[in-house]
Amino acid sequence: MMDFKFENMAAFFDMGGYAFFVWMSFGLTFICMAAILFHSLFMSKKIKQGVEKERARAERILAARAARKDKMREKRRIESIENEDE
């Protein structure tokens, strides 16, 4: 069983006269951890958006290449038909 080391709650919050430093360090730690959490969430969202943007760009490039290739095939087919007619 855990023993409560302070006589009462007021003594606990007073921390033996060091309350300002103890509670300030807890508060600062909490603020820093919250800032790290929010920054991580923000950066994660930003990175995911960047990855999605790059994926969409790669798909557009591949589609343009395929369209250009199809266009060249069609052009060659038409040229071969025209050459056969001559």
Side-chain angles (χ1 to χ4, degrees), residues 55-74:
R55 186 195 58 76
R57 180 178 179 269
E59 286 179 1
R60 285 193 312 271
I61 289 171
L62 290 174
R65 284 181 186 167
R68 192 173 345 143
K69 197 173 188 180
D70 290 344
K71 187 176 180 181
M72 290 302 292
R73 279 189 193 138
E74 184 64 23

Side-chain angles (χ1 to χ4, degrees), residues 3-55:
D3 247 354
F4 195 64
K5 302 295 181 189
F6 296 96
E7 296 171 10
N8 54 32
M9 289 304 286
F12 171 73
F13 287 113
D14 184 45
M15 290 285 169
Y18 296 101
F20 176 77
F21 303 107
V22 171
W23 296 114
M24 187 64 70
S25 66
F26 275 110
L28 188 58
T29 300
F30 176 75
I31 289 169
C32 289
M33 290 178 74
I36 290 170
L37 174 68
F38 290 124
H39 181 262
S40 297
L41 293 173
F42 173 75
M43 290 306 293
S44 173
K45 183 178 178 182
K46 196 170 186 174
I47 289 170
K48 287 177 185 177
Q49 287 174 346
V51 167
E52 182 61 29
K53 192 175 183 180
E54 286 296 317
R55 186 195 58 76

